[in-house]
């Protein structure tokens, strides 16, 4: 999966992002429906991420026709504490279940393939749709980074959420 191979679950497939995909990534990142909820990276930051062995940068495609519908960034492949961050999930086709299936595939990769202990994320406090999705997929709210992201002339707070391996597996922690 991290050596140029793809991984599939349900209607979605992840494949490693290439340089040729970065125009799409930048377009999605800056789209009006996505920009208020994510930090924008420069193309150079994405170029660095796709070659960084601590980061998994994926393109999300539909399995039915290989149409690109989003991208995902995971940080922490080399984290000695077995903690990984879901840095970014952007899905173009909203309200069709592709975001949920992509999140389920992320959890499968993180907990079953990589044997990570903790998967965390920051989500804009006003992003109710994403927060409800994360809660329904087993994420727990841990706290708030108050006014930690600048959006225009204002600051917004980020909710910290996580899921642990034993919660994903439905077992006790010890």
């Amino acid at each position: 999966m991290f050596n140029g191979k793809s991984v599939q679950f349900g209607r979605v497939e992840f494949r490693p992002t290439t340089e040729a995909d970065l125009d799409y990534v930048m377009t999605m990142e800056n789209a009006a429906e996505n920009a208020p909820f994510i930090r924008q990276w420069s193309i150079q930051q994405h170029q660095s991420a796709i070659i960084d062995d601590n980061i998994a940068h994926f393109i999300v495609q539909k399995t039915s026709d290989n149409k690109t519908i989003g991208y995902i960034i995971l940080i922490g492949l080399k984290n000695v504490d077995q903690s990984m961050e879901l840095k970014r999930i952007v899905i173009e086709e909203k309200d069709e279940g592709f975001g949920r299936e992509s999140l389920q595939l992320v959890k499968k990769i993180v907990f079953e393939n990589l044997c990570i202990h903790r998967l965390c994320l920051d989500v804009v406090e006003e992003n109710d749709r994403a927060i409800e999705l994360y809660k329904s997929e087993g994420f727990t709210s841990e706290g708030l980074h108050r006014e930690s992201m600048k959006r225009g002339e204002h600051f917004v707070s980020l909710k910290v959420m996580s899921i642990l391996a034993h919660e994903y597996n439905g077992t006790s922690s010890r």
Side-chain angles (χ1 to χ4, degrees):
M1 164 184 38
F2 298 103
N3 298 325
K5 297 179 184 172
S6 63
V7 61
Q8 179 181 328
F9 178 79
R11 299 177 301 150
V12 296
E13 178 179 9
F14 295 175
R15 66 165 175 78
T17 304
T18 67
E19 185 89 22
D21 297 312
L22 292 182
D23 284 341
Y24 173 82
V25 168
M26 296 301 293
T27 298
M28 288 303 303
E29 192 161 284
N30 291 296
E33 65 272 16
N34 301 324
F37 301 114
I38 57 175
R39 288 188 171 104
Q40 278 68 49
W41 278 6
S42 68
I43 193 144
Q44 292 81 12
Q45 286 173 295
H46 284 288
Q47 288 169 330
S48 295
I50 63 176
I51 60 171
D52 188 326
D53 60 359
N54 190 49
I55 298 174
H57 199 304
F58 292 117
I59 289 296
V60 181
Q61 296 178 317
K62 286 184 183 179
T63 56
S64 61
D65 59 7
N66 291 329
K67 179 183 181 215
T68 299
I69 58 169
Y71 73 98
I72 289 175
I73 302 171
L74 294 167
I75 299 177
L77 293 172
K78 298 174 100 179
N79 185 311
V80 297
D81 296 317
Q82 294 177 285
S83 184
M84 182 168 274
E85 178 185 4
L86 174 55
K87 183 67 175 176
R88 188 101 15 99
I89 180 169
V90 178
I91 302 297
E92 182 176 2
E93 297 189 17
K94 307 212 186 303
D95 297 319
E96 295 187 32
F98 292 112
R100 179 175 303 279
E101 288 184 36
S102 295
L103 185 58
Q104 290 170 345
L105 183 51
V106 164
K107 293 188 308 180
K108 185 174 183 56
I109 291 167
V110 166
F111 295 120
E112 295 178 24
N113 297 53
L114 300 175
C115 300
I116 296 295
H117 173 70
R118 177 178 180 269
L119 175 62
C120 65
L121 57 88
D122 294 342
V123 58
V124 173
E125 185 179 34
E126 303 159 357
N127 193 346
D128 294 329
R129 177 171 48 187
I131 291 169
E132 287 308 310
L133 171 62
Y134 298 137
K135 283 182 183 176
S136 73
E137 286 296 323
F139 284 78
T140 300
S141 181
E142 292 185 346
L144 197 64
H145 293 297
R146 296 180 328 134
E147 297 185 7
S148 60
M149 184 173 130
K150 191 169 184 185
R151 184 168 41 185
E153 295 302 312
H154 304 17
F155 291 89
V156 296
S157 298
L158 299 175
K159 184 176 272 204
V160 180
M161 300 183 81
S162 72
I163 183 171
L164 305 176
H166 68 85
E167 293 166 338
Y168 171 77
N169 292 319
T171 61
S172 65
S173 62
R174 301 210 196 245

